Amino acid sequence: MAEIIQKDGTWTFDGEVLRLTPGRDKNVGLLRRTLGELVLPLRALAGISFEQGKKSGRLRLRLRDGADPLLHTAGGRLTEPHDPYQLIVDSDRYGVAEYFAEEVRTALLLDQVPADPVTEYLLPGPSVPLSVSAGDGTVSFDGERVRLEWNWKTEDAKAAAGTRTLALADLTGVEWQPAVGLENGHIRFLVRHSPTKAPAKYDPNSVELWGFKKDPLMALVAAAVQARLPHPAAPSDERPRDPGAAPPQATPAQAEDGHDALLRRLRELGELHRSGVLTDEEFTLAKQAVLKRL
């Protein structure tokens, strides 16, 4: 197992799963602390890099597009203290960081994890229930309903509509935009058959954000909702499956094809081992991973 412990957080990798635990340092952002430990399956990764600096370095994970509802919702707008997929590394731990990165790269290579986008979320998103107060309102989400409540700073025209409750089934999407410079941000819930171009200040399905400390936490609410909506890259005719229904079964032809592919992979690993490309330990780990799928 590979592990690196820093003030910024602790990352561990057991060959199949990465665990990212935020540190207690004052520089760790509120979003990361609230999100807590993340568990990433190896197949959600597209790559890892380590960048050295004079005083500190940085480990960065790159996820496959569409794997994480938080990254999808944030759209690259998470600032450094809040990004859970990077770790600040002290200069005296550069060797450990390089070893950690190499272990992850080797596992990606041995498992032949593709770097292409996915059509389903591979991470569950933030846990619920979740409630955040920021800007001109409070948003709560219990997994089935979004509730919007207003405060004394809410524009009168929007507050007059009263508390809003939106069923998940009535939503087609959610937007999160942080405040940047003089531009206010927002979290906006897109309601089916009710399009609007009204600014968040007046939209009863939006909370306006002004760039204060708790604003990034609204990204967690947005991600929790997004995780329970159809994946944006899923086929257009795909519909959410009833959670109580039995999972779809592979056809005999599909099962046979998958079995043959795994057998071919075992033969390839054996050839790599015999030719000296894989060590005994690497071959054993890779073979065990394939056998688990048979």
Side-chain angles (χ1 to χ4, degrees):
M1 184 175 73
E3 181 178 63
I4 179 166
I5 303 173
Q6 294 290 275
K7 292 182 295 184
D8 198 38
T10 298
W11 287 10
T12 61
F13 177 55
D14 64 3
E16 296 181 355
V17 169
L18 288 98
R19 293 183 181 274
L20 316 181
T21 306
R24 300 178 181 275
D25 189 72
K26 63 180 180 180
N27 293 322
V28 177
L30 180 60
L31 183 148
R32 284 179 62 196
R33 296 200 303 269
T34 304
L35 185 59
E37 183 180 78
L38 284 176
V39 180
L40 278 68
L42 185 64
R43 66 192 182 101
L45 291 185
I48 184 172
S49 63
F50 175 57
E51 306 157 5
Q52 293 189 17
K54 292 183 178 180
K55 295 183 178 180
S56 63
R58 198 176 306 275
L59 274 169
R60 295 181 189 271
L61 291 175
R62 183 166 58 89
L63 272 64
R64 297 170 68 185
D65 288 345
D68 182 13
L70 174 60
L71 291 185
H72 172 77
T73 302
R77 295 183 293 265
L78 284 180
T79 55
E80 180 179 303
H82 304 293
D83 185 351
Y85 299 116
Q86 56 177 298
L87 182 74
I88 297 175
V89 179
D90 294 336
S91 58
D92 62 349
R93 290 293 181 269
Y94 281 179
V96 178
E98 289 172 346
Y99 170 76
F100 187 95
E102 190 58 34
E103 286 290 291
V104 174
R105 291 192 195 101
T106 299
L108 289 170
L109 178 63
L110 292 177
D111 276 25
Q112 294 186 320
V113 177
D116 55 344
V118 296
T119 58
E120 62 177 343
Y121 293 122
L122 302 181
L123 277 77
S127 59
V128 295
L130 191 58
S131 182
V132 176
S133 297
D136 67 353
T138 298
V139 182
S140 303
F141 179 54
D142 62 5
E144 296 181 359
R145 291 172 296 277
V146 173
R147 181 179 175 88
L148 297 98
E149 301 173 86
W150 314 115
N151 56 39
W152 64 273
K153 295 170 283 189
T154 308
E155 181 70 24
D156 290 344
K158 184 164 71 170
T163 299
R164 298 277 288 167
T165 300
L166 306 172
L168 184 66
D170 293 332
L171 300 181
T172 60
V174 57
E175 299 174 351
W176 174 74
Q177 174 69 52
V180 178
L182 298 178
E183 293 290 327
N184 290 337
H186 65 262
I187 180 172
R188 186 192 305 272
F189 298 94
L190 309 180
V191 181
R192 198 181 311 277
H193 308 309
S194 298
T196 179
K197 294 183 179 180
K201 182 177 183 178
Y202 303 104
D203 180 10
N205 297 322
S206 302
V207 168
E208 187 178 34
L209 304 174
W210 301 318
F212 295 148
K213 181 179 179 180
K214 290 187 177 181
D215 280 14
L217 296 184
M218 284 296 185
L220 298 183
V221 178
V225 172
Q226 185 64 55
R228 290 160 177 81
L229 294 174
H231 193 284
S236 57
D237 60 347
E238 185 173 301
R239 295 291 181 267
R241 188 172 60 85
D242 181 353
Q249 298 296 315
T251 65
Q254 289 173 328
E256 184 176 351
D257 289 344
H259 187 268
D260 289 345
L262 292 175
L263 290 177
R264 286 196 300 272
R265 180 58 181 153
L266 281 174
R267 288 194 293 270
E268 292 170 357
L269 290 172
E271 292 172 1
L272 291 171
H273 182 229
R274 286 191 295 273
S275 62
V277 174
L278 295 179
T279 65
D280 292 345
E281 183 179 359
E282 290 171 338
F283 172 67
T284 300
L285 289 174
K287 183 176 70 173
Q288 288 174 349
V290 174
L291 290 175
K292 286 180 180 178
R293 302 175 189 171
L294 283 172

